[in-house]
Amino acid sequence: MPNVLLLGGTTEASALARLLAARGIAATLSYAGRTEHPRPQPIPVRVGGFGGVAGLAAHLRDQGITHLVDAIHPFAATMSANAVAAAEAAGVPLLALTRPAWRPGEGDRWRHVPDVAGAVAALEGPARRVLLALGRQHVHAFAAQPQHHYVLRFVDAPPAPPPLPDHHLLVDRGPFTPEGDRALIETHRVDLVICKNAGGSGAEAKLIAARALGLPVLMIDRPALPPRREVSSPEAVLDWLAHTPSPAKRGV
Ligand code: 3Y8
Ligand code: NAP
């Protein structure tokens, strides 16, 4: 019988958790513990790091995990790299559940930058009104460009104010709606949107709103990930589970 470890934190991971629960497949969803009140799940949840590759490999062995599914965010590159190495070390099959990167469409005004540092450098120049929709972990980097007015959106209230002299902080969690993000952009007279190429539907609202309003977008491209098997639907994961035998009983 499968015993799945699901690295979560995305809309797709939660959708897969619902499918696994409905099919009665033993599975545990793992969160890093980045937020105070993560979404409740229909399967058991564990919270916190594993302790690097060695910690994750030991967890796979000690918990008798038969299949590892990496459904974390495409920017969680360290976790994904650790998952590849730990699955290899523990002899556990690995599958990534990812979502295709967003691609610019008709009417989009995107400028691609390779990473957060590239986005900071691109902000050189006169004051703008920026929707910095990157969450909390990278905001400090933008203190290098203090001339702008930043509209920030965090999942949880931060312990201290962000180090940006001119900002408006919203505490809200997605998934967001195009109507809501359009109202946000118009209310705050945003003239530039900065975001990660997260893909999926949960973070796309601001791009739909920017397109409708003809606003420019600074799009941060995804970090490189090691090669691994990938699917883009929760149903494809169930199919993989059905056709991927559990590792042979490990000797004692
Ligand atoms: C802790 C779990 C679900 C998953 C929902 C998705 C959609 C809503 C949109 C904006 C962009 C951002 C951010 C975002 C979205 C979904 C998804 C997604 C972006 C939760 C969650 C955890 C996190 C961690 C958090 C990061 C932050 C990033 C906010 C739960 C709600 C900006 C990514 O304060 C912090 O330290 C937050 C950190 C990593 C990026 C950052 O660098 O700050 N997500 N987000 C997971 C864990 O502990 O393992 O609390 O329920 C999950 C979701 N956030 O099940 O419904 O599928 O992506 N998350 C980005 O895309 O750029 C917001 O504001 O427009
Ligand atoms: P990261 O930088 O790639 O990972 C750093 C460390 O955090 C990992 O080495 C691991 O610690 C721990 N970790 C990360 N995800 C974990 C998980 N699901 N379960 C247990 N430990 C985890 O990761 P991140 O970018 O901080 O992302 C953390 C979480 O937020 C993930 O669940 C991700 O899906 C979610 N998220 C991230 C973003 C984003 O923009 N980065 C966006 C939306 C959601 P150890 O080395 O100790 O094992």
Side-chain angles (χ1 to χ4, degrees), residues 225-238:
L225 292 176
R228 75 260 165 96
R229 184 153 176 197
E230 295 182 359
V231 295
S232 58
S233 78
E235 294 72 15
V237 177
L238 291 189

Side-chain angles (χ1 to χ4, degrees), residues 157-206:
L164 299 173
D166 181 5
H167 71 269
H168 178 89
L169 173 62
L170 300 154
V171 178
D172 192 3
R173 65 167 52 223
F176 303 103
T177 65
E179 302 70 29
D181 277 4
R182 176 167 181 153
L184 174 70
I185 286 170
E186 290 178 324
T187 304
H188 293 278
R189 292 179 286 112
V190 167
D191 59 32
L192 175 65
V193 172
I194 302 183
C195 68
K196 298 172 189 167
N197 198 326
S201 56
E204 194 181 16
K206 55 191 175 282

Side-chain angles (χ1 to χ4, degrees), residues 34 73-78 114-121 123 132-145 150 152-155 158 162-164 194-197 220-223:
R34 290 273 181 289
H73 192 276
F75 279 70
T78 305
D115 49 26
V116 168
V120 173
L123 284 180
L132 193 62
L134 305 181
R136 174 174 60 165
Q137 293 182 99
H138 303 289
V139 164
H140 59 279
F142 291 85
Q145 302 284 6
Y150 291 98
L152 306 173
R153 181 154 63 181
F154 291 1
V155 178
L164 299 173
I194 302 183
C195 68
K196 298 172 189 167
N197 198 326
I220 301 173
D221 290 334
R222 294 181 172 187

Side-chain angles (χ1 to χ4, degrees), residues 35-56:
T35 53
E36 285 162 19
H37 308 290
R39 170 193 287 272
Q41 296 288 346
I43 59 176
V45 168
R46 66 164 300 287
V47 180
F50 297 97
V53 173
L56 178 53

